[in-house]
Amino acid sequence: MSEPRSLSERPRLDNLTLSRKEGFRQLALAPPRIQPDALTAADLAALGVAARAAYDRLRRDWLANLGPIRTPQLAALQEDLWDIVDSNVQDGDKPKGAIAVDAFPGLGKTTAVLHFAQKFHLREIGEEGEFTQAGHERWPVCRVGLTSNVGMKDFNRAILEFFAHPARFRGTSAQFLQRALDCVLDCETKVLIIDDLHFLRWSGRNGREVSNHFKYIANEFPVTLIFVGVELANRGLYSEADDGGDVTLAQTARRTTPLTMEPFAVNDDKRRREWRNLMLWLEKRIVLAEKFPGMLADELSDYLYARTTGHIGSLMTLVNRGCQRAIRTGTERLDEDLLNSVKIDAASEKARQQLEASLRARRWTSKTSTARSATTKAARG
């Protein structure tokens, strides 16, 4: 049996930051991870101490980085993103439409947008080259993450920080903004992602300042703005004057296309098939010695839905942590007993009791009618 592959064959991504261009490029250019070989319990026992440690490390890294998964929600969102970004090829004298990806936490909106951004980066570099005609580095995407109480000067400086502009440490907000425009023009940036936009306060005077700031960027920067956040509509992003909102926010609403992502649902067979396909996808990628066909899709489907309420972020966390414990304890499989000992986010745990009670009362199931029929036939022998 060959020795497990080394992690050194792939560049490490655990220490990168997407707030800087080098980190984003490293993520975009990194080759796909290679799934570790599936070993049986006997194969594991035959490994030496060093080989077993190396194999388990490979599995830990693989299981902690499953995805992104091309779920129906991710595919639909990315198709909309491609439509809007590719249609924004107007000349620079015309403002480009913006995008607001607005969804609750744990539904994968940031993952989906970043995955799109990586593909867009690769496409643009492939078509246009790594350098512009003027000899500057080409950076098709700029990504800025916001923190609480961030001001416009801090926001402008964050753009400069992404590009590693030498004058990012000193200057006024207006000077930072003009330097950011220079970076966008020199590097031919086409997409500006603003993550966690909900940290900004949109009401009152601050809302007008923020709206005016983004209107200036939309008018003067030849980029497609992609806002990512939670409850952006309720925070005033789309406020219209005739709906009681501030008139200065109306233009932002008219130029911004809202997109969203929904949790998985199991209220009809079509949606149950989508959930089952997700279970089957995960089964193929779980690397445990005692894994068996149907471990997730048949044995744990209802349990996993009840534990995570169909939120993919919670599901991936539970599966990842469960697999890590299964490796560490030597269980080498997932079942309810093991997963019950794994803790995940508070929101999922709060909703779990009600869903499990409904499941016990047989008010719902995540299994398709075909899967239920197969289970019934197997039970009857």
Side-chain angles (χ1 to χ4, degrees), residues 322-379:
C323 288
Q324 304 295 350
R325 180 167 293 207
I327 292 172
R328 192 173 60 254
T329 61
T331 308
E332 292 293 335
R333 63 178 289 176
L334 296 182
D335 55 35
E336 288 192 26
D337 288 339
L338 182 141
L339 292 174
N340 278 333
S341 66
V342 175
K343 306 298 187 297
I344 57 173
D345 60 279
S348 293
E349 296 293 8
K350 183 178 180 180
R352 174 185 180 184
Q353 292 182 351
Q354 182 177 354
L355 271 176
E356 287 184 334
S358 298
L359 178 61
R360 287 192 295 270
R362 298 187 177 182
R363 296 193 187 109
W364 66 272
T365 180
S366 67
K367 297 179 181 178
T368 63
S369 56
T370 302
R372 293 198 300 273
S373 299
T375 300
T376 301
K377 290 180 181 178

Side-chain angles (χ1 to χ4, degrees), residues 38-145:
L39 302 184
T40 65
D43 292 334
L44 287 180
L47 290 176
V49 174
R52 175 62 184 270
Y55 179 66
D56 285 349
R57 185 182 178 191
L58 278 171
R59 290 198 291 173
R60 291 197 303 270
D61 180 75
W62 168 257
L63 292 165
N65 294 281
L66 293 176
I69 308 172
R70 189 171 172 79
T71 62
Q73 295 91 327
L74 180 141
L77 175 65
Q78 291 191 349
E79 284 300 312
D80 289 333
L81 290 172
W82 283 116
D83 287 344
I84 298 169
V85 171
D86 283 348
S87 68
N88 277 347
V89 293
Q90 302 96 330
D91 294 337
D93 61 321
K94 303 178 182 67
K96 304 179 186 299
I99 304 165
V101 182
D102 188 350
F104 286 115
L107 295 177
K109 58 185 178 299
T110 295
T111 298
V113 170
L114 287 177
H115 185 237
F116 163 81
Q118 294 170 50
K119 293 190 291 185
F120 182 79
H121 174 94
L122 294 175
R123 188 189 76 174
E124 293 299 303
I125 294 297
E127 292 178 354
E128 304 290 343
E130 295 185 5
F131 296 91
T132 68
Q133 288 186 350
H136 301 290
E137 290 181 331
R138 186 184 306 280
W139 293 102
V141 177
C142 173
R143 181 261 177 194
V144 175

Side-chain angles (χ1 to χ4, degrees), residues 51-255:
R52 175 62 184 270
Y55 179 66
D56 285 349
R57 185 182 178 191
L58 278 171
R59 290 198 291 173
R60 291 197 303 270
D61 180 75
W62 168 257
L63 292 165
N65 294 281
L66 293 176
I69 308 172
R70 189 171 172 79
T71 62
Q73 295 91 327
L74 180 141
L77 175 65
Q78 291 191 349
E79 284 300 312
D80 289 333
L81 290 172
W82 283 116
D83 287 344
I84 298 169
V85 171
D86 283 348
S87 68
N88 277 347
V89 293
Q90 302 96 330
D91 294 337
D93 61 321
K94 303 178 182 67
K96 304 179 186 299
I99 304 165
V101 182
D102 188 350
F104 286 115
L107 295 177
K109 58 185 178 299
T110 295
T111 298
V113 170
L114 287 177
H115 185 237
F116 163 81
Q118 294 170 50
K119 293 190 291 185
F120 182 79
H121 174 94
L122 294 175
R123 188 189 76 174
E124 293 299 303
I125 294 297
E127 292 178 354
E128 304 290 343
E130 295 185 5
F131 296 91
T132 68
Q133 288 186 350
H136 301 290
E137 290 181 331
R138 186 184 306 280
W139 293 102
V141 177
C142 173
R143 181 261 177 194
V144 175
L146 301 186
T147 60
S148 59
N149 297 320
V150 65
M152 290 300 93
K153 182 176 180 180
D154 298 321
F155 171 76
N156 297 338
R157 185 183 178 280
I159 299 177
L160 297 181
E161 186 67 42
F162 180 89
F163 290 105
H165 194 287
R168 64 190 182 276
F169 300 111
R170 186 172 299 178
T172 65
S173 179
Q175 289 172 334
F176 283 169
L177 186 59
Q178 290 305 310
R179 293 166 190 164
L181 176 57
D182 291 339
C183 290
V184 166
L185 293 175
D186 289 344
C187 300
E188 298 188 4
T189 303
K190 296 183 179 179
V191 171
L192 174 57
I193 298 171
I194 305 171
D195 206 355
D196 292 325
L197 185 66
H198 50 271
F199 282 132
L200 287 175
R201 296 188 303 272
W202 286 81
S203 59
R205 177 184 175 186
N206 188 68
R208 291 192 297 273
E209 292 175 351
V210 171
S211 180
N212 288 333
H213 195 78
F214 287 140
K215 279 194 294 185
Y216 176 84
I217 292 176
N219 289 334
E220 303 299 330
F221 285 48
V223 298
T224 298
L225 286 168
I226 301 180
F227 304 115
V228 184
V230 178
E231 294 189 331
L232 299 181
N234 293 339
R235 296 173 190 275
L237 179 60
Y238 314 124
S239 294
E240 290 278 13
D242 55 1
D243 290 333
D246 194 301
V247 67
T248 59
L249 302 180
Q251 188 171 327
T252 300
R254 291 295 181 184
R255 290 182 179 174

